Amino acid sequence: MNILVTGGLGYIGSHLVSKLIDKKFSIFIIDNLNNSKRSTYKILKKINPNIKGFKKIDLKNKKKLLNYFKKKKIDIVIHMAGLKSVSESYSNVKKYYNNNILGFVNLIETMQKSKIQKLIFSSSASVYAPKISSAIKEDDQLQINSIYGFTKKTIEDIIFLKSKSLRLNYIILRYFNPAGCHQNGLLGENPKGTPNNLYPYIGDIIKKRRKYLKVYGNDYKTKDGTGARDYIHIDDLVDTHLKSLQRLFKYKNIQEVFNVGCGKSITVKAVINSFKKFCNFKIKFKYYPRRYGDLDKIYTNNNKAKKILQWRPEKNLKDIALSTFKYYNK
Ligand code: NAD
Ligand code: UD1
């Protein structure tokens, strides 16, 4: 089975590719290296010498995309390529529309021309209306909270609309907060520039690039006042793609959406403490004002994924802390 992973050299993509090759799938990767490095491909090749190939292609370049698809026999596309910074999406709206939305339109039109009818799409919890009192379910209200979230919701809408005319079989995975690194310590999250997200920022502290963590807010309605999120280990997240692949190949007419998270809300303080407890690493921190747009708490109800995908998260905060520490402490 030939699988194309767009954005396959990024944080999530590289972990997924590594796992898929372990499982003997035949993998093609395209990525424009906007937020990833060619060296990641070298690492993937070192871990899995059987890897088929990486091609630097920007989804905005439809001609190149079409030529690529003509040369390859692809059975399914896992679409992970995209820009993902909420703050940057406000300051550079056009860039986000062009990259995420037009890039996807090019991809789906190319898939149509090449008669590829199976798709897994990396969506995000950012498509939901804020809800802090209980866990989010797939049929909860959707809302546009940012330009980034708008691009994710628009891609979902295009998938819903096009699925009938294209006879598309799809699974949309709405990730909560992916975290942690590969157990071999070679793959991890390595964004270009200053990290926005909690774990890569902590990574910079482990690497001694930064002295302390700015904890955004200590007066949230959570156990200890710091913001709470649903951190899911990258291995567990990757497994939902394996389960999705199995489902798309086993059954016809699959058109489904799943939330992917560990199902618990974990505070920033709990994350800080986990590094002390499991890695004996003390993270220095200072409280700062709340970050614009942040919520007290957001976590998922993951029963749908558990029931239908026959999946359950196996890892916890300890595994996330240990693998993160191993990767950044090289
Ligand atoms: P990432 O930035 O590490 O990986 C995305 C990859 O896509 C990068 O390698 C980048 O170079 C590539 N890319 C971007 N635009 C492209 C284009 N036009 N053509 C070709 N390649 C392009 O991000 P990630 O954390 O691995 O996220 C993967 C996907 O999951 C993204 O779509 C993101 O929106 C989504 N997601 C991520 C999170 C998270 O917290 N990491 C949460 C929810 C959803
Ligand atoms: C952020 C985005 C979200 C996006 C997700 C993944 C915002 C408002 N939300 O989510 O839309 O889908 O990234 O790209 O940008 N924190 C600190 N100090 C830091 C970094 C984070 O205290 O240096 C706190 C935050 O306030 C939050 C928690 O850590 O409480 C997690 O933050 P982050 O990793 O950025 O994830 P989200 O806020 O869930």
Short mmCIF file of all heavy atoms in Angstrom, two decimals, residues 74-123:
data_model
loop_
_atom_site.label_atom_id
_atom_site.label_comp_id
_atom_site.label_asym_id
_atom_site.label_seq_id
_atom_site.Cartn_x
_atom_site.Cartn_y
_atom_site.Cartn_z
N ILE A 74 -0.30 6.26 -5.79
CA ILE A 74 -0.63 6.56 -4.39
C ILE A 74 -2.03 6.03 -4.08
O ILE A 74 -2.97 6.24 -4.85
CB ILE A 74 -0.54 8.08 -4.14
CG1 ILE A 74 0.90 8.55 -4.31
CG2 ILE A 74 -1.05 8.44 -2.74
CD1 ILE A 74 1.05 10.02 -4.53
N ASP A 75 -2.16 5.32 -2.95
CA ASP A 75 -3.47 4.77 -2.59
C ASP A 75 -4.21 5.67 -1.61
O ASP A 75 -5.43 5.69 -1.57
CB ASP A 75 -3.29 3.39 -1.93
CG ASP A 75 -2.63 2.41 -2.88
OD1 ASP A 75 -3.22 2.16 -3.94
OD2 ASP A 75 -1.51 1.94 -2.58
N ILE A 76 -3.45 6.37 -0.79
CA ILE A 76 -4.10 7.20 0.24
C ILE A 76 -3.19 8.38 0.59
O ILE A 76 -1.97 8.25 0.57
CB ILE A 76 -4.41 6.34 1.50
CG1 ILE A 76 -5.09 7.19 2.57
CG2 ILE A 76 -3.17 5.69 2.09
CD1 ILE A 76 -5.81 6.38 3.61
N VAL A 77 -3.83 9.50 0.91
CA VAL A 77 -3.06 10.69 1.30
C VAL A 77 -3.33 10.99 2.78
O VAL A 77 -4.49 11.02 3.21
CB VAL A 77 -3.46 11.91 0.44
CG1 VAL A 77 -2.76 13.17 0.93
CG2 VAL A 77 -3.13 11.66 -1.04
N ILE A 78 -2.26 11.21 3.51
CA ILE A 78 -2.39 11.73 4.89
C ILE A 78 -1.92 13.17 4.83
O ILE A 78 -0.73 13.44 4.58
CB ILE A 78 -1.56 10.91 5.91
CG1 ILE A 78 -1.96 9.43 5.85
CG2 ILE A 78 -1.75 11.47 7.32
CD1 ILE A 78 -1.23 8.52 6.84
N HIS A 79 -2.84 14.09 5.02
CA HIS A 79 -2.52 15.50 4.79
C HIS A 79 -2.20 16.22 6.11
O HIS A 79 -3.09 16.57 6.87
CB HIS A 79 -3.70 16.19 4.09
CG HIS A 79 -3.47 17.64 3.87
ND1 HIS A 79 -2.27 18.14 3.38
CD2 HIS A 79 -4.27 18.72 4.07
CE1 HIS A 79 -2.36 19.46 3.31
NE2 HIS A 79 -3.55 19.84 3.72
N MET A 80 -0.91 16.42 6.31
CA MET A 80 -0.44 17.08 7.55
C MET A 80 0.19 18.42 7.27
O MET A 80 0.45 19.18 8.21
CB MET A 80 0.63 16.20 8.20
CG MET A 80 0.13 14.88 8.63
SD MET A 80 1.24 14.19 9.84
CE MET A 80 0.09 13.18 10.72
N ALA A 81 0.53 18.70 6.01
CA ALA A 81 1.25 19.95 5.72
C ALA A 81 0.37 21.15 6.05
O ALA A 81 -0.82 21.17 5.73
CB ALA A 81 1.63 19.98 4.24
N GLY A 82 0.96 22.12 6.70
CA GLY A 82 0.21 23.33 7.01
C GLY A 82 0.99 24.22 7.95
O GLY A 82 1.94 23.76 8.60
N LEU A 83 0.59 25.47 7.98
CA LEU A 83 1.17 26.39 8.95
C LEU A 83 0.29 26.34 10.19
O LEU A 83 -0.93 26.24 10.09
CB LEU A 83 1.21 27.81 8.37
CG LEU A 83 2.06 27.97 7.10
CD1 LEU A 83 1.84 29.34 6.47
CD2 LEU A 83 3.54 27.77 7.44
N LYS A 84 0.90 26.44 11.38
CA LYS A 84 0.11 26.13 12.58
C LYS A 84 0.21 27.15 13.72
O LYS A 84 -0.20 26.84 14.83
CB LYS A 84 0.50 24.74 13.10
CG LYS A 84 1.96 24.64 13.51
CD LYS A 84 2.24 23.38 14.29
CE LYS A 84 3.66 23.34 14.77
NZ LYS A 84 4.02 22.23 15.59
N SER A 85 0.77 28.32 13.45
CA SER A 85 0.88 29.26 14.56
C SER A 85 -0.33 30.19 14.61
O SER A 85 -0.62 30.90 13.65
CB SER A 85 2.17 30.09 14.41
OG SER A 85 2.05 31.28 15.16
N VAL A 86 -1.01 30.16 15.74
CA VAL A 86 -2.20 31.00 15.89
C VAL A 86 -1.83 32.48 15.80
O VAL A 86 -2.46 33.25 15.07
CB VAL A 86 -2.89 30.70 17.24
CG1 VAL A 86 -4.01 31.70 17.51
CG2 VAL A 86 -3.44 29.30 17.24
N SER A 87 -0.77 32.88 16.50
CA SER A 87 -0.42 34.30 16.52
C SER A 87 0.02 34.77 15.13
O SER A 87 -0.40 35.82 14.66
CB SER A 87 0.66 34.58 17.57
OG SER A 87 1.74 33.71 17.36
N GLU A 88 0.82 33.95 14.45
CA GLU A 88 1.27 34.35 13.11
C GLU A 88 0.09 34.42 12.14
O GLU A 88 0.08 35.22 11.21
CB GLU A 88 2.31 33.34 12.59
CG GLU A 88 3.02 33.83 11.34
CD GLU A 88 3.74 32.74 10.55
OE1 GLU A 88 3.32 31.57 10.60
OE2 GLU A 88 4.69 33.07 9.86
N SER A 89 -0.92 33.59 12.38
CA SER A 89 -2.07 33.58 11.46
C SER A 89 -2.81 34.91 11.47
O SER A 89 -3.41 35.30 10.48
CB SER A 89 -3.02 32.42 11.76
OG SER A 89 -3.80 32.64 12.92
N TYR A 90 -2.74 35.62 12.62
CA TYR A 90 -3.37 36.96 12.68
C TYR A 90 -2.53 38.00 11.95
O TYR A 90 -3.05 38.88 11.29
CB TYR A 90 -3.54 37.40 14.14
CG TYR A 90 -4.68 36.72 14.86
CD1 TYR A 90 -4.44 35.84 15.89
CD2 TYR A 90 -6.00 36.97 14.49
CE1 TYR A 90 -5.48 35.21 16.56
CE2 TYR A 90 -7.05 36.35 15.15
CZ TYR A 90 -6.78 35.47 16.18
OH TYR A 90 -7.81 34.85 16.81
N SER A 91 -1.21 37.88 12.10
CA SER A 91 -0.36 38.92 11.50
C SER A 91 -0.13 38.68 10.02
O SER A 91 0.28 39.58 9.30
CB SER A 91 0.98 39.00 12.25
OG SER A 91 1.60 37.75 12.21
N ASN A 92 -0.42 37.47 9.55
CA ASN A 92 -0.17 37.16 8.14
C ASN A 92 -1.31 36.32 7.56
O ASN A 92 -1.13 35.17 7.16
CB ASN A 92 1.16 36.43 8.02
CG ASN A 92 1.90 36.85 6.77
OD1 ASN A 92 1.26 37.23 5.79
ND2 ASN A 92 3.21 36.78 6.80
N VAL A 93 -2.48 36.97 7.52
CA VAL A 93 -3.71 36.26 7.14
C VAL A 93 -3.59 35.62 5.76
O VAL A 93 -3.90 34.44 5.57
CB VAL A 93 -4.90 37.26 7.16
CG1 VAL A 93 -6.18 36.58 6.72
CG2 VAL A 93 -5.06 37.86 8.55
N LYS A 94 -3.07 36.42 4.81
CA LYS A 94 -3.01 35.94 3.43
C LYS A 94 -2.12 34.68 3.30
O LYS A 94 -2.45 33.75 2.58
CB LYS A 94 -2.45 37.07 2.56
CG LYS A 94 -2.92 37.01 1.14
CD LYS A 94 -2.53 38.27 0.42
CE LYS A 94 -2.58 38.02 -1.08
NZ LYS A 94 -2.04 39.14 -1.82
N LYS A 95 -1.02 34.73 4.05
CA LYS A 95 -0.10 33.59 4.01
C LYS A 95 -0.81 32.31 4.47
O LYS A 95 -0.64 31.24 3.89
CB LYS A 95 1.08 33.91 4.95
CG LYS A 95 2.17 32.88 4.97
CD LYS A 95 3.33 33.39 5.83
CE LYS A 95 4.29 32.28 6.21
NZ LYS A 95 5.26 32.70 7.22
N TYR A 96 -1.64 32.44 5.50
CA TYR A 96 -2.36 31.27 6.02
C TYR A 96 -3.43 30.80 5.05
O TYR A 96 -3.61 29.60 4.86
CB TYR A 96 -2.90 31.55 7.44
CG TYR A 96 -1.82 31.21 8.45
CD1 TYR A 96 -0.65 31.98 8.52
CD2 TYR A 96 -1.90 30.08 9.26
CE1 TYR A 96 0.38 31.63 9.38
CE2 TYR A 96 -0.89 29.73 10.12
CZ TYR A 96 0.25 30.50 10.18
OH TYR A 96 1.28 30.14 11.03
N TYR A 97 -4.16 31.76 4.45
CA TYR A 97 -5.18 31.37 3.45
C TYR A 97 -4.50 30.65 2.30
O TYR A 97 -4.94 29.59 1.86
CB TYR A 97 -5.91 32.60 2.91
CG TYR A 97 -6.89 33.25 3.87
CD1 TYR A 97 -7.47 34.47 3.58
CD2 TYR A 97 -7.24 32.63 5.06
CE1 TYR A 97 -8.37 35.07 4.45
CE2 TYR A 97 -8.13 33.22 5.94
CZ TYR A 97 -8.70 34.45 5.63
OH TYR A 97 -9.57 35.03 6.48
N ASN A 98 -3.44 31.26 1.79
CA ASN A 98 -2.77 30.69 0.61
C ASN A 98 -2.18 29.33 0.91
O ASN A 98 -2.37 28.38 0.17
CB ASN A 98 -1.65 31.62 0.11
CG ASN A 98 -2.21 32.74 -0.71
OD1 ASN A 98 -3.28 32.60 -1.32
ND2 ASN A 98 -1.54 33.87 -0.73
N ASN A 99 -1.45 29.28 1.99
CA ASN A 99 -0.75 28.03 2.28
C ASN A 99 -1.72 26.92 2.66
O ASN A 99 -1.71 25.84 2.07
CB ASN A 99 0.26 28.25 3.42
CG ASN A 99 1.22 27.08 3.51
OD1 ASN A 99 2.16 26.97 2.73
ND2 ASN A 99 0.97 26.17 4.43
N ASN A 100 -2.56 27.18 3.64
CA ASN A 100 -3.38 26.09 4.18
C ASN A 100 -4.59 25.79 3.29
O ASN A 100 -4.85 24.64 2.96
CB ASN A 100 -3.84 26.41 5.61
CG ASN A 100 -2.67 26.40 6.59
OD1 ASN A 100 -1.52 26.24 6.19
ND2 ASN A 100 -2.95 26.56 7.86
N ILE A 101 -5.31 26.85 2.88
CA ILE A 101 -6.56 26.59 2.14
C ILE A 101 -6.27 26.32 0.66
O ILE A 101 -6.65 25.27 0.13
CB ILE A 101 -7.57 27.75 2.31
CG1 ILE A 101 -7.90 27.92 3.81
CG2 ILE A 101 -8.85 27.46 1.51
CD1 ILE A 101 -8.81 29.07 4.15
N LEU A 102 -5.55 27.24 0.01
CA LEU A 102 -5.27 27.00 -1.41
C LEU A 102 -4.39 25.76 -1.61
O LEU A 102 -4.58 25.00 -2.55
CB LEU A 102 -4.63 28.22 -2.06
CG LEU A 102 -5.58 29.41 -2.22
CD1 LEU A 102 -4.88 30.57 -2.91
CD2 LEU A 102 -6.83 29.02 -3.01
N GLY A 103 -3.46 25.57 -0.69
CA GLY A 103 -2.62 24.37 -0.75
C GLY A 103 -3.49 23.12 -0.73
O GLY A 103 -3.28 22.17 -1.50
N PHE A 104 -4.50 23.13 0.13
CA PHE A 104 -5.37 21.95 0.21
C PHE A 104 -6.24 21.81 -1.06
O PHE A 104 -6.46 20.69 -1.54
CB PHE A 104 -6.27 22.01 1.45
CG PHE A 104 -7.22 20.85 1.48
CD1 PHE A 104 -6.75 19.56 1.72
CD2 PHE A 104 -8.57 21.01 1.21
CE1 PHE A 104 -7.61 18.46 1.69
CE2 PHE A 104 -9.43 19.92 1.18
CZ PHE A 104 -8.95 18.64 1.42
N VAL A 105 -6.73 22.94 -1.57
CA VAL A 105 -7.54 22.88 -2.80
C VAL A 105 -6.72 22.25 -3.92
O VAL A 105 -7.19 21.37 -4.66
CB VAL A 105 -8.08 24.29 -3.18
CG1 VAL A 105 -8.70 24.28 -4.56
CG2 VAL A 105 -9.09 24.77 -2.13
N ASN A 106 -5.47 22.65 -4.05
CA ASN A 106 -4.58 22.03 -5.05
C ASN A 106 -4.46 20.53 -4.83
O ASN A 106 -4.51 19.73 -5.77
CB ASN A 106 -3.18 22.65 -4.99
CG ASN A 106 -3.15 24.04 -5.57
OD1 ASN A 106 -4.05 24.44 -6.30
ND2 ASN A 106 -2.12 24.80 -5.23
N LEU A 107 -4.31 20.17 -3.56
CA LEU A 107 -4.12 18.74 -3.24
C LEU A 107 -5.37 17.93 -3.60
O LEU A 107 -5.27 16.90 -4.27
CB LEU A 107 -3.80 18.59 -1.75
CG LEU A 107 -3.62 17.17 -1.24
CD1 LEU A 107 -2.35 16.53 -1.81
CD2 LEU A 107 -3.56 17.12 0.29
N ILE A 108 -6.52 18.43 -3.21
CA ILE A 108 -7.75 17.64 -3.43
C ILE A 108 -8.07 17.56 -4.93
O ILE A 108 -8.52 16.53 -5.42
CB ILE A 108 -8.94 18.20 -2.58
CG1 ILE A 108 -10.08 17.18 -2.50
CG2 ILE A 108 -9.48 19.50 -3.07
CD1 ILE A 108 -10.02 16.31 -1.32
N GLU A 109 -7.77 18.64 -5.66
CA GLU A 109 -8.01 18.60 -7.11
C GLU A 109 -7.05 17.62 -7.78
O GLU A 109 -7.42 16.91 -8.71
CB GLU A 109 -7.89 20.00 -7.71
CG GLU A 109 -9.10 20.85 -7.31
CD GLU A 109 -9.07 22.28 -7.86
OE1 GLU A 109 -8.10 22.67 -8.55
OE2 GLU A 109 -10.02 23.01 -7.56
N THR A 110 -5.83 17.59 -7.29
CA THR A 110 -4.85 16.64 -7.83
C THR A 110 -5.26 15.21 -7.49
O THR A 110 -5.15 14.30 -8.33
CB THR A 110 -3.45 16.95 -7.27
OG1 THR A 110 -3.18 18.32 -7.51
CG2 THR A 110 -2.38 16.10 -7.93
N MET A 111 -5.75 15.02 -6.27
CA MET A 111 -6.23 13.68 -5.88
C MET A 111 -7.37 13.25 -6.79
O MET A 111 -7.45 12.11 -7.23
CB MET A 111 -6.70 13.68 -4.42
CG MET A 111 -5.57 13.72 -3.40
SD MET A 111 -6.17 13.90 -1.71
CE MET A 111 -7.10 12.39 -1.46
N GLN A 112 -8.26 14.20 -7.08
CA GLN A 112 -9.41 13.92 -7.94
C GLN A 112 -8.94 13.47 -9.33
O GLN A 112 -9.40 12.45 -9.86
CB GLN A 112 -10.27 15.17 -8.06
CG GLN A 112 -11.54 14.97 -8.84
CD GLN A 112 -12.48 16.17 -8.73
OE1 GLN A 112 -12.09 17.24 -8.26
NE2 GLN A 112 -13.71 15.99 -9.15
N LYS A 113 -8.01 14.23 -9.88
CA LYS A 113 -7.48 13.89 -11.22
C LYS A 113 -6.81 12.52 -11.21
O LYS A 113 -6.85 11.79 -12.19
CB LYS A 113 -6.44 14.94 -11.65
CG LYS A 113 -7.07 16.23 -12.14
CD LYS A 113 -6.17 16.89 -13.20
CE LYS A 113 -6.94 18.02 -13.86
NZ LYS A 113 -6.67 19.32 -13.25
N SER A 114 -6.18 12.19 -10.08
CA SER A 114 -5.45 10.92 -10.00
C SER A 114 -6.33 9.79 -9.44
O SER A 114 -5.82 8.70 -9.17
CB SER A 114 -4.22 11.09 -9.11
OG SER A 114 -3.55 12.27 -9.41
N LYS A 115 -7.61 10.11 -9.24
CA LYS A 115 -8.59 9.11 -8.75
C LYS A 115 -8.18 8.49 -7.41
O LYS A 115 -8.30 7.27 -7.19
CB LYS A 115 -8.81 8.02 -9.80
CG LYS A 115 -9.36 8.56 -11.10
CD LYS A 115 -9.92 7.45 -11.94
CE LYS A 115 -10.71 7.91 -13.14
NZ LYS A 115 -10.26 9.09 -13.85
N ILE A 116 -7.69 9.34 -6.52
CA ILE A 116 -7.36 8.87 -5.16
C ILE A 116 -8.52 9.26 -4.25
O ILE A 116 -8.88 10.44 -4.16
CB ILE A 116 -6.04 9.49 -4.65
CG1 ILE A 116 -4.91 9.08 -5.59
CG2 ILE A 116 -5.73 9.06 -3.21
CD1 ILE A 116 -3.66 9.91 -5.44
N GLN A 117 -9.11 8.26 -3.60
CA GLN A 117 -10.36 8.53 -2.88
C GLN A 117 -10.27 8.28 -1.38
O GLN A 117 -11.28 8.11 -0.72
CB GLN A 117 -11.48 7.69 -3.49
CG GLN A 117 -11.88 8.23 -4.87
CD GLN A 117 -12.76 7.27 -5.62
OE1 GLN A 117 -12.53 6.07 -5.59
NE2 GLN A 117 -13.76 7.79 -6.30
N LYS A 118 -9.06 8.27 -0.88
CA LYS A 118 -8.91 8.06 0.56
C LYS A 118 -8.02 9.15 1.16
O LYS A 118 -6.94 9.42 0.63
CB LYS A 118 -8.29 6.68 0.84
CG LYS A 118 -9.22 5.52 0.52
CD LYS A 118 -8.56 4.21 0.89
CE LYS A 118 -9.48 3.01 0.80
NZ LYS A 118 -10.16 2.82 -0.45
N LEU A 119 -8.50 9.71 2.26
CA LEU A 119 -7.80 10.86 2.85
C LEU A 119 -7.88 10.82 4.38
O LEU A 119 -8.95 10.56 4.94
CB LEU A 119 -8.45 12.16 2.34
CG LEU A 119 -7.99 13.48 2.97
CD1 LEU A 119 -6.57 13.84 2.53
CD2 LEU A 119 -8.94 14.62 2.61
N ILE A 120 -6.75 11.11 5.02
CA ILE A 120 -6.76 11.38 6.47
C ILE A 120 -6.27 12.81 6.63
O ILE A 120 -5.24 13.19 6.05
CB ILE A 120 -5.83 10.40 7.24
CG1 ILE A 120 -6.33 8.96 7.09
CG2 ILE A 120 -5.75 10.78 8.72
CD1 ILE A 120 -5.41 7.90 7.69
N PHE A 121 -7.00 13.61 7.39
CA PHE A 121 -6.63 15.02 7.52
C PHE A 121 -6.34 15.39 8.97
O PHE A 121 -7.12 15.08 9.87
CB PHE A 121 -7.77 15.91 6.96
CG PHE A 121 -7.56 17.37 7.26
CD1 PHE A 121 -6.39 18.02 6.88
CD2 PHE A 121 -8.53 18.10 7.95
CE1 PHE A 121 -6.18 19.36 7.18
CE2 PHE A 121 -8.33 19.44 8.25
CZ PHE A 121 -7.15 20.07 7.86
N SER A 122 -5.22 16.09 9.18
CA SER A 122 -4.83 16.57 10.51
C SER A 122 -5.56 17.87 10.83
O SER A 122 -5.12 18.95 10.44
CB SER A 122 -3.34 16.89 10.53
OG SER A 122 -2.57 15.79 10.18
N SER A 123 -6.66 17.75 11.56
CA SER A 123 -7.35 18.96 11.97
C SER A 123 -6.97 19.27 13.43
O SER A 123 -6.01 18.69 13.96
CB SER A 123 -8.86 18.81 11.79
OG SER A 123 -9.49 20.07 11.97
#
